[in-house]
Amino acid sequence: MSRIQKERDRLLATTARTVGLTATATAALCLSVPGTIPLPLYLASLVLVVCLGYAQWQLVTLLRLTVWMWVIVVAGLGLILLNVLPLRPLGPSAISAVGIVGAAGIACVSVLGTTSRARVLLLAVSGLGTLIVLSATLFLTGSRVVEPVLFTLAGWVALTATGIWLSRTVPRTLKRISTMSRAYRVERQASETEARRRRGARLLHDTVLATLTLLAHAGVGVSAGAMREQAAEDAALLRQLRLGFTPDPARSGDYRLKPVEESALGNTLESVKQRFKRIGLEVNWHGAGQVFLQSDVLDAFLLALGECLENVRRHSGVKEAHVTITDDETTVRAMVTDAGKGFDVSAITEGRLGYTESIVARLRDVGGNARLFSSPGSGTTVVLEVPK
């Protein structure tokens, strides 16, 4: 059952319960007027009222809904028959009670009666049965027949029409809301993409392109030391961007960058996580996160980790990866795991720069190591190790 159908059934059941409980409570008050019916019949009626109310209350659970609808019909008809057992004309309070039970206490099931074939059959049988029982019992007791029967008929027609209207209107409304939500998400993603593109263009213009322009003009008016310092700042900025940081521009050409030496591993991992989340890969972190590493080791570790996650995004066929960080007195380890399609490890050739150079060689340059475990259909695990 789709979410829209569940929401429709929940609204119909809530409406049916509200109408049914209101009618049952009103009928109970009418029967409680002194002298309406004999005390033994009144006590037996209260038992049926409780059964009727309990079945109406259970409608919103949406469990065994048709069964509870049949219980409502049987309990309601039993309450009507019980009130005419003395076979004497009924007073105004008793007539009101049986009319309310027939018009709303039992008819509340008609709100739900159009949602399936079995319930349509129940709707037809219970509606016709209620009218026949009510008419026959009132006629046999010599009571007024026309008003209660017309009231009951009007109740069944009105509640059936309400059920049909709700069952058709709610799905259309929810579908339109869902369509609007999808359109909003698409528009928001497009706006965020355009905003990132503009930020990237401004960042490129304010830093790297400015430096390249100076180099193209042989650094006219700028000392060699200033050129080297500006190029170093640009290199630092690009390195931070690869690690997932979002620079905060103070003014054109001036970006406040947090030095890597001051960044705990947990902070930089969160940056990597957000970077890959933006491009469609959900990364779940486990284990230690507040581990400090030397600047060059941290760079190599995070760049190798980013390459592993990029491989997951491109080749695994899944949208989720798990990264477990552990450490001891000498080593920090990251285990990158995915449940994707995997591959044959022996098929990796020396020319595959993505793994051999970007991961293995990068870690070995700082005294670390990488190990790869995978097989077709069983996912992939990469263990990265760097010294503290």
Side-chain angles (χ1 to χ4, degrees):
M1 181 182 292
S2 67
R3 183 182 65 85
I4 292 179
Q5 290 176 319
K6 290 181 180 179
E7 292 298 328
R8 178 204 65 185
D9 287 353
R10 186 175 289 108
L11 177 61
L12 292 175
T14 302
T15 303
R17 184 180 73 170
T18 302
V19 172
L21 288 176
T22 302
T24 300
T26 304
L29 290 176
C30 292
L31 293 176
S32 299
V33 174
T36 300
I37 55 175
L39 182 59
L41 293 181
Y42 174 72
L43 295 178
S45 297
L46 288 183
V47 174
L48 290 175
V49 165
V50 171
C51 293
L52 182 61
Y54 181 75
Q56 292 163 345
W57 181 267
Q58 290 296 318
L59 290 178
V60 295
T61 63
L62 300 181
L63 298 175
R64 299 178 180 175
L65 192 57
T66 305
V67 174
W68 289 117
M69 292 170 68
W70 278 112
V71 172
I72 290 172
V73 173
V74 172
L77 292 177
L79 186 60
I80 293 174
L81 291 172
L82 189 63
N83 279 274
V84 298
L85 281 179
L87 296 179
R88 59 181 178 81
L90 299 180
S93 296
I95 291 178
S96 298
V98 297
I100 291 171
V101 171
I106 303 175
C108 69
V109 300
S110 64
V111 177
L112 294 159
T114 59
T115 55
S116 69
R117 292 182 179 180
R119 293 171 191 169
V120 170
L121 177 62
L122 184 150
L123 172 62
V125 171
S126 58
L128 185 61
T130 301
L131 290 173
I132 293 174
V133 169
L134 186 63
S135 302
T137 52
L138 290 175
F139 178 78
L140 291 175
T141 59
S143 305
R144 291 178 300 172
V145 178
V146 178
E147 293 88 345
V149 171
L150 289 178
F151 182 56
T152 300
L153 180 61
W156 278 89
V157 171
L159 291 176
T160 301
T162 300
I164 294 173
W165 177 74
L166 288 177
S167 63
R168 292 183 178 180
T169 302
V170 171
R172 287 200 300 265
T173 303
L174 291 177
K175 286 180 180 177
R176 289 175 182 174
I177 293 174
S178 179
T179 301
M180 292 174 63
S181 299
R182 287 196 299 270
Y184 169 75
R185 286 196 299 270
V186 171
E187 182 180 359
R188 184 184 64 185
Q189 290 173 356
S191 299
E192 291 175 352
T193 301
E194 178 63 17
R196 286 197 297 269
R197 188 191 67 79
R198 290 178 177 272
R199 286 198 301 268
R202 288 194 296 267
L203 177 62
L204 186 63
H205 176 271
D206 292 345
T207 56
V208 178
L209 286 180
T211 303
L212 292 176
T213 301
L214 286 174
L215 290 173
H217 290 82
V220 176
V222 180
S223 66
M227 286 289 296
R228 284 194 295 269
E229 183 178 349
Q230 183 167 329
E233 290 179 355
D234 290 347
L237 175 62
L238 293 175
R239 176 166 54 87
Q240 296 285 3
L241 292 175
R242 286 203 65 190
L243 296 177
F245 281 88
T246 301
D248 182 18
R251 62 179 182 273
S252 180
D254 184 10
Y255 290 82
R256 295 196 296 269
L257 297 176
K258 189 174 182 181
V260 177
E261 291 81 0
E262 299 177 6
S263 297
L265 180 58
N267 299 334
T268 49
L269 288 179
E270 182 62 27
S271 300
V272 175
K273 175 182 179 179
Q274 294 304 321
R275 167 191 163 196
F276 279 95
K277 185 176 182 179
R278 288 193 296 268
I279 59 178
L281 180 66
E282 186 70 30
V283 182
N284 299 308
W285 302 105
H286 312 278
Q290 298 302 318
V291 180
F292 286 89
L293 293 171
Q294 295 181 3
S295 177
D296 57 338
V297 177
L298 181 60
D299 281 357
F301 183 74
L302 290 175
L303 290 173
L305 178 60
E307 185 64 25
C308 291
L309 294 173
E310 182 65 18
N311 288 337
V312 173
R313 187 184 73 85
R314 289 182 180 178
H315 306 301
S316 68
V318 296
K319 300 293 185 181
E320 183 182 43
H322 294 268
V323 177
T324 303
I325 305 295
T326 59
D327 70 308
D328 53 30
E329 295 180 355
T330 60
T331 306
V332 176
R333 296 179 182 84
M335 184 169 66
V336 183
T337 306
D338 68 75
K341 56 188 178 182
F343 59 94
D344 185 0
V345 176
S346 62
I348 298 179
T349 62
E350 293 295 330
R352 292 290 297 275
L353 299 180
Y355 177 72
T356 57
E357 289 296 328
S358 296
I359 298 177
V360 177
R362 175 175 278 137
L363 294 182
R364 286 178 180 171
D365 287 343
V366 294
N369 190 28
R371 289 174 290 169
L372 175 64
F373 307 92
S374 183
S375 61
S378 300
T380 303
T381 298
V382 182
V383 179
L384 311 177
E385 295 179 334
V386 292
K388 283 189 174 180

